[in-house]
Amino acid sequence: MRFFMTDIHGDLKGMKLLLKHVGVDLSKDQLVFGGDMINRGRDSAGVVKEVKVLMEKYPGHVHAVIGNHEEMMNWYYERSDRLWLNHGGNQTIQSFQKTFPNEEERQAHITWAVSLPLYYEDDEFIYTHAGLNPYESLEKQSREILWMEEMDFYSIPKDQLLSATHGKPIVHGHTPVERIYFDGARLNCDLGSNTYMIEEERGLGLVNLSEMIYWVYKPAKKEIEKWKVACY
């Protein structure tokens, strides 16, 4: 089975609950994380630590790509860019200091998170954080794709995107949606974890791409819902 989870935004509890509830077997199944592990939620460092552990424990089965929030963190530590602090960076700094009191270990996890690749590709899908530029080759994508707005990405004709990806649909996140839809070329799986202003609307999704179904952890209700991906 192929699974995808994106835009966790510090919800370690929801992440673990979903993986356990669905019974993902990482010795056999594939799991890709779509970036934005950090900021907004209570346990950004815990999410980074858990994803890193899973990737090291199940090499070849667990993969992750960078999101724009990890990119902002990189700018902060690399050149003191304060944009990150306006998007939850202060809370994330505190989370990392609490989880990793050892500075060397803390820095190792930060370096790992900001060094993740822009995309991952298997034999059926391409996974990115926000989108893909069909005018650039896959290997030479600009880092601007981490910030791609949904309106721009979904204005690209489907056949043009699929031509650029050799027929592989793009699985991504970045822009929160209430339901997951598949238009044959794109699948947005960000369900607004720790993002929506109204807490009842927030959700963290785990998508089974092999069967086109997904589960949503709703923290306000402490419930997990099951839905079918709408295809059109």
Side-chain angles (χ1 to χ4, degrees):
M1 295 290 183
R2 288 182 173 88
F3 293 93
F4 183 72
M5 181 183 288
T6 190
D7 294 82
I8 300 171
H9 284 300
D11 188 359
L12 179 62
K13 178 182 177 181
M15 171 188 167
K16 288 185 171 182
L17 281 173
L18 282 168
L19 293 176
K20 182 178 180 180
H21 177 82
V22 176
V24 179
D25 183 354
L26 294 177
S27 66
K28 300 176 182 178
D29 299 324
Q30 174 181 282
L31 174 61
V32 180
F33 293 99
D36 280 9
M37 297 176 284
I38 62 171
N39 295 352
R40 298 177 178 154
R42 295 181 178 179
D43 204 349
S44 292
V47 174
V48 170
K49 182 179 180 180
E50 182 70 11
V51 173
K52 186 174 184 290
V53 165
L54 291 177
M55 286 183 65
E56 291 170 349
K57 187 176 181 180
Y58 301 101
H61 289 266
V62 182
H63 311 273
V65 300
I66 191 172
N68 65 298
H69 281 258
E70 287 83 30
E71 184 85 331
M72 285 189 286
M73 180 167 69
N74 187 39
W75 292 347
Y76 175 78
Y77 286 107
E78 189 178 64
R79 58 182 192 237
S80 300
D81 189 315
R82 299 181 66 82
L83 176 65
W84 184 48
L85 302 182
N86 298 327
H87 295 274
N90 284 314
Q91 296 92 325
T92 299
I93 289 172
Q94 293 171 14
S95 176
F96 270 85
Q97 290 174 340
K98 180 180 179 181
T99 303
F100 306 111
N102 179 281
E103 185 177 352
E104 185 176 344
E105 185 181 15
R106 181 166 67 244
Q107 189 57 51
H109 280 79
I110 292 171
T111 300
W112 173 83
V114 302
S115 302
L116 290 168
L118 285 175
Y119 73 93
Y120 174 71
E121 179 180 13
D122 60 24
D123 58 1
E124 190 169 342
F125 298 100
I126 291 174
Y127 308 84
T128 71
H129 175 62
L132 198 73
N133 184 349
Y135 302 105
E136 297 175 337
S137 67
L138 194 58
E139 299 79 12
K140 296 181 179 179
Q141 290 286 308
S142 164
R143 301 192 75 80
E144 291 298 315
I145 65 170
L146 291 173
W147 304 84
M148 222 170 169
E149 294 191 8
E150 186 179 46
M151 184 179 297
D152 294 332
F153 186 40
Y154 279 74
S155 69
I156 301 170
K158 289 190 286 185
D159 57 351
Q160 187 175 3
L161 267 180
L162 292 172
S163 176
T165 63
H166 304 290
K168 296 180 180 180
I170 300 160
V171 184
H172 69 98
H174 184 60
T175 303
V177 292
E178 293 182 3
R179 295 286 184 269
I180 297 178
Y181 299 90
F182 179 45
D183 69 355
R186 291 154 291 217
L187 193 74
N188 183 356
C189 304
D190 178 4
L191 292 167
S193 174
N194 288 320
T195 299
Y196 283 124
M197 292 295 293
I198 301 174
E199 188 175 354
E200 285 74 17
E201 295 179 354
R202 298 175 184 173
L204 176 63
L206 175 63
V207 186
N208 181 332
L209 295 165
S210 301
E211 299 180 344
M212 285 296 171
I213 55 175
Y214 62 100
W215 295 262
V216 188
Y217 171 63
K218 291 286 194 177
K221 297 189 292 183
K222 294 181 172 59
E223 294 178 357
I224 294 176
E225 303 173 355
K226 184 179 180 181
W227 295 82
K228 187 173 183 179
V229 174
C231 301
Y232 65 95

